[in-house]
Amino acid sequence: MPTVEELYRNYGILADATEQVGQHKDAYQVILDGVKGGTKEKRLAAQFIPKFFKHFPELADSAINAQLDLCEDEDVSIRRQAIKELPQFATGENLPRVADILTQLLQTDDSAEFNLVNNALLSIFKMDAKGTLGGLFSQILQGEDIVRERAIKFLSTKLKTLPDEVLTKEVEELILTESKKVLEDVTGEEFVLFMKILSGLKSLQTVSGRQQLVELVAEQADLEQTFNPSDPDCVDRLLQCTRQAVPLFSKNVHSTRFVTYFCEQVLPNLGSLTTPVEGLDIQLEVLKLLAEMSSFCGDMEKLETNLRKLFDKLLEYMPLPPEEAENGENAGNEEPKLQFSYVECLLYSFHQLGRKLPDFLTAKLNAEKLKDFKIRLQYFARGLQVYIRQLRLALQGKTGEALKTDENKIKVVALKITNNINVLIKDLFHIPPSYKSTVTLSWKPVQKVELGQKRASEDTTSGSPPKKSSAGPKRDARQIYNPPSGKYSSNLGNFNYERSLQGK
């Protein structure tokens, strides 16, 4: 084993040789052997080996292996020095191997080392993006779980920091191709990260690009398979995939396939859904997703069938008024509870799809069914007006801090929900029913009205900002579904009408 003095001497030979450095193979071998020495020798070897690496291609494997030994040394200072120098080995055909090595080193628990690895990966990414991606995806597909996890997170956080000259169209196409391979077997958390990666690519910002992403999500959601409401994994996967798809929909990228699946497969089983998260109002979350998607439907083969399923489900939450006894009192012991949160979602979805088939209520339903619906609307509207008055009275004069209490936050959201329902019911009371009014769903961000732009209705309201699968069945880890609702809206179903009745 060479001593410190011998290492310095041979370093001098190589440094002084200038253009003839490649003729001193023996001197470089001495430096390679430095990895077998003590702490001082290893530290010097970590610096000297990469400096002259490019001059000895016949010793490339030996040099890389020697540096790898130093990257795994027990001495943290030696490891850090060896990792810092690794990008110098990333030349030509060696680059994918170095990328592979650096990706494996992401598993370190030492924060300083971890940062060095990240910096080294970014450094070689700028040298050769395709080669670096080869190493990263190799470990994502075949590496240990901890390496896979950190490699995916590296891509999701670092790609967006790279300049356009690095992330060329060809590089982005490679990312998409390799990501599709990974998406064949991912956890819910991994799926969300990959959607973040892909949706951030410039080449996928076009209509056709977003359409590709929607198709990827639809494949992950298993929309070709029969929905199993009793399987929490199946429910979780559908929720998470749909949540990733919603931001992609637009007037040119349609939600039709998802809306049809929800109407055909999910709505009929709404009451028997098994929640993947304890305490989650799974029915409300499903209805919110359906409402968000309903604005972006294209041509729909089963439009009438879907409208009928929506209509039937809406009727379940719009009760008939209780029968009156001979003395004028209610024959029953209590009035039905009005679940405003559910009705907002269903009524909005029905209103959006109804625009595409405006004669649905008048031409496709018999007179008795339409009469029944009007009675339900009138009864619901009466309860709605009582509750709106009470909410306005309770919130009257309250500003600033007073509106930030939990109870008042609930009331503010409740007022948005009930105002929305009120606008939509007014439309349906028209003869024939109208579908012209526009509302912003209670949990959606406030929409700014441009100067001079007329509001669709004075009752139209805007919501407060939201708090923003296992997509593949094989990986064990599972991400908990994060509801798209505001913090308090899930409590409204039971809060609202009971309190309004008690206040009478």
Side-chain angles (χ1 to χ4, degrees):
M1 290 182 291
T3 63
V4 169
E5 291 75 16
E6 289 173 317
L7 288 172
Y8 272 119
R9 185 169 62 252
N10 284 279
Y11 174 84
I13 293 171
L14 296 173
D16 293 339
T18 60
E19 294 181 3
Q20 284 74 43
V21 62
Q23 299 175 13
H24 297 277
K25 183 176 177 181
D26 291 344
Y28 191 58
Q29 185 62 58
V30 171
I31 289 175
L32 292 180
D33 292 339
V35 301
K36 303 171 185 175
T39 301
K40 293 180 179 179
E41 289 79 9
K42 290 178 179 178
R43 197 168 293 159
L44 287 174
Q47 299 174 59
F48 295 167
I49 292 173
K51 186 172 182 64
F52 301 104
F53 168 75
K54 63 182 179 181
H55 299 291
F56 300 96
E58 70 277 18
L59 293 175
D61 285 344
S62 298
I64 293 175
N65 289 334
Q67 195 78 2
L68 284 184
D69 288 342
L70 298 173
C71 289
E72 298 173 355
D73 197 85
E74 294 181 357
D75 189 312
V76 65
S77 64
I78 293 174
R79 294 201 306 270
R80 291 176 184 174
Q81 182 66 47
I83 292 169
K84 184 179 179 181
E85 305 294 345
L86 271 177
Q88 294 193 53
F89 295 87
T91 58
E93 61 184 17
N94 294 313
L95 190 140
R97 183 182 176 191
V98 174
D100 191 284
I101 292 164
L102 283 168
T103 306
Q104 292 181 59
L105 291 173
L106 284 170
Q107 64 187 295
T108 179
D109 291 325
D110 182 281
S111 59
E113 278 183 54
F114 184 76
N115 290 333
L116 285 170
V117 173
N118 273 269
N119 292 336
L121 272 170
L122 282 173
S123 175
I124 67 170
F125 220 118
K126 293 172 184 177
M127 298 179 198
D128 182 348
K130 286 186 176 181
T132 306
L133 286 169
L136 280 161
F137 276 103
S138 172
Q139 286 300 316
I140 290 172
L141 287 165
Q142 302 170 12
E144 297 293 328
D145 284 350
I146 183 65
V147 175
R148 173 188 172 98
E149 174 190 338
R150 293 186 179 181
I152 294 172
K153 286 184 178 177
F154 173 86
L155 287 173
S156 69
T157 57
K158 302 299 183 184
L159 280 182
K160 61 187 177 185
T161 68
L162 295 169
D164 291 345
E165 57 265 26
V166 175
L167 282 181
T168 63
K169 184 178 180 180
E170 285 187 356
V171 171
E172 292 194 344
E173 286 175 354
L174 177 61
I175 293 171
L176 177 59
T177 299
E178 293 299 314
S179 296
K180 286 180 178 178
K181 296 176 185 176
V182 181
L183 288 172
E184 293 176 6
D185 177 15
V186 288
T187 67
E189 183 179 5
E190 290 170 348
F191 174 65
V192 171
L193 287 174
F194 267 102
M195 288 306 299
K196 178 182 177 182
I197 292 167
L198 296 176
S199 60
L201 300 179
K202 292 184 77 172
S203 60
L204 294 179
Q205 301 300 314
T206 62
V207 170
S208 60
R210 291 199 305 274
Q211 188 61 53
Q212 281 190 70
L213 292 178
V214 168
E215 289 168 5
L216 270 179
V217 178
E219 187 177 335
Q220 291 295 318
D222 268 350
L223 297 186
E224 299 299 326
Q225 301 299 316
T226 302
F227 180 66
N228 183 357
S230 62
D231 181 0
D233 289 352
C234 182
V235 175
D236 186 46
R237 179 172 60 246
L238 181 63
L239 289 178
Q240 292 208 53
C241 289
T242 306
R243 176 47 51 196
Q244 295 304 308
V246 166
L248 301 170
F249 297 135
S250 67
K251 65 179 182 180
N252 295 315
V253 181
H254 297 150
S255 60
T256 311
R257 189 176 175 191
F258 280 83
V259 171
T260 298
Y261 188 84
F262 269 60
C263 290
E264 289 184 347
Q265 301 270 346
V266 186
L267 279 185
N269 297 297
L270 192 65
S272 57
L273 292 176
T274 301
T275 177
V277 183
E278 186 176 354
L280 176 69
D281 188 341
I282 189 65
Q283 296 183 49
L284 181 57
E285 298 314 317
V286 164
L287 294 179
K288 284 185 173 183
L289 286 171
L290 178 58
E292 289 189 52
M293 295 188 293
S294 62
S295 304
F296 304 109
C297 283
D299 294 335
M300 189 180 293
E301 291 183 9
K302 301 179 181 179
L303 176 58
E304 184 176 347
T305 302
N306 290 336
L307 264 172
R308 190 171 299 282
K309 289 183 183 297
L310 259 173
F311 181 76
D312 290 343
K313 185 57 64 174
L314 177 61
L315 291 182
E316 292 180 24
Y317 294 97
M318 301 197 77
L320 286 165
E323 295 181 7
E324 291 187 355
E326 292 181 1
N327 59 3
E329 297 293 330
N330 288 344
N333 293 325
E334 61 180 45
E335 294 193 32
K337 295 176 184 177
L338 305 184
Q339 294 177 285
F340 295 124
S341 296
Y342 288 29
V343 170
E344 179 196 17
C345 299
L346 285 164
L347 200 57
Y348 181 88
S349 300
F350 179 78
H351 193 268
Q352 292 297 313
L353 265 63
R355 290 176 176 176
K356 297 180 176 298
L357 192 63
D359 62 345
F360 174 80
L361 285 173
T362 54
K364 300 298 181 181
L365 294 176
N366 58 48
E368 286 302 313
K369 198 155 191 176
L370 183 56
K371 181 181 177 182
D372 172 82
F373 183 49
K374 291 280 187 168
I375 292 172
R376 292 172 189 266
L377 281 176
Q378 288 170 348
Y379 175 66
F380 202 96
R382 285 201 301 271
L384 194 69
Q385 293 303 324
V386 171
Y387 190 38
I388 289 175
R389 285 197 297 271
Q390 291 185 357
L391 285 169
R392 286 177 175 166
L393 185 62
L395 293 170
Q396 188 174 3
K398 290 185 170 60
T399 58
E401 292 300 316
L403 290 174
K404 294 181 181 179
T405 66
D406 286 356
E407 184 172 357
N408 283 335
K409 282 182 178 179
I410 291 174
K411 289 176 181 176
V412 168
V413 178
L415 187 57
K416 292 172 183 175
I417 291 173
T418 48
N419 276 338
N420 279 349
I421 298 172
N422 194 40
V423 171
L424 298 175
I425 285 180
K426 283 181 179 179
D427 254 16
L428 296 179
F429 269 142
H430 279 273
I431 301 175
S434 169
Y435 300 92
K436 294 181 180 179
S437 294
T438 301
V439 300
T440 300
L441 291 163
S442 59
W443 63 90
K444 299 296 286 181
V446 173
Q447 302 293 319
K448 292 183 179 179
V449 178
E450 296 295 331
L451 192 61
Q453 180 181 341
K454 188 177 180 181
R455 293 177 67 91
S457 165
E458 63 180 10
D459 289 316
T460 300
T461 59
S462 297
S464 54
K467 297 196 168 186
K468 199 181 180 150
S469 83
S470 178
K474 299 176 186 176
R475 290 265 169 180
D476 293 334
R478 190 168 303 283
Q479 175 187 303
I480 299 302
Y481 174 65
N482 187 22
S485 60
K487 183 176 179 182
Y488 304 99
S489 60
S490 62
N491 299 323
L492 290 170
N494 294 325
F495 170 83
N496 46 32
Y497 198 58
E498 288 179 289
R499 290 198 180 184
S500 72
L501 289 176
Q502 290 168 3
K504 285 185 180 179

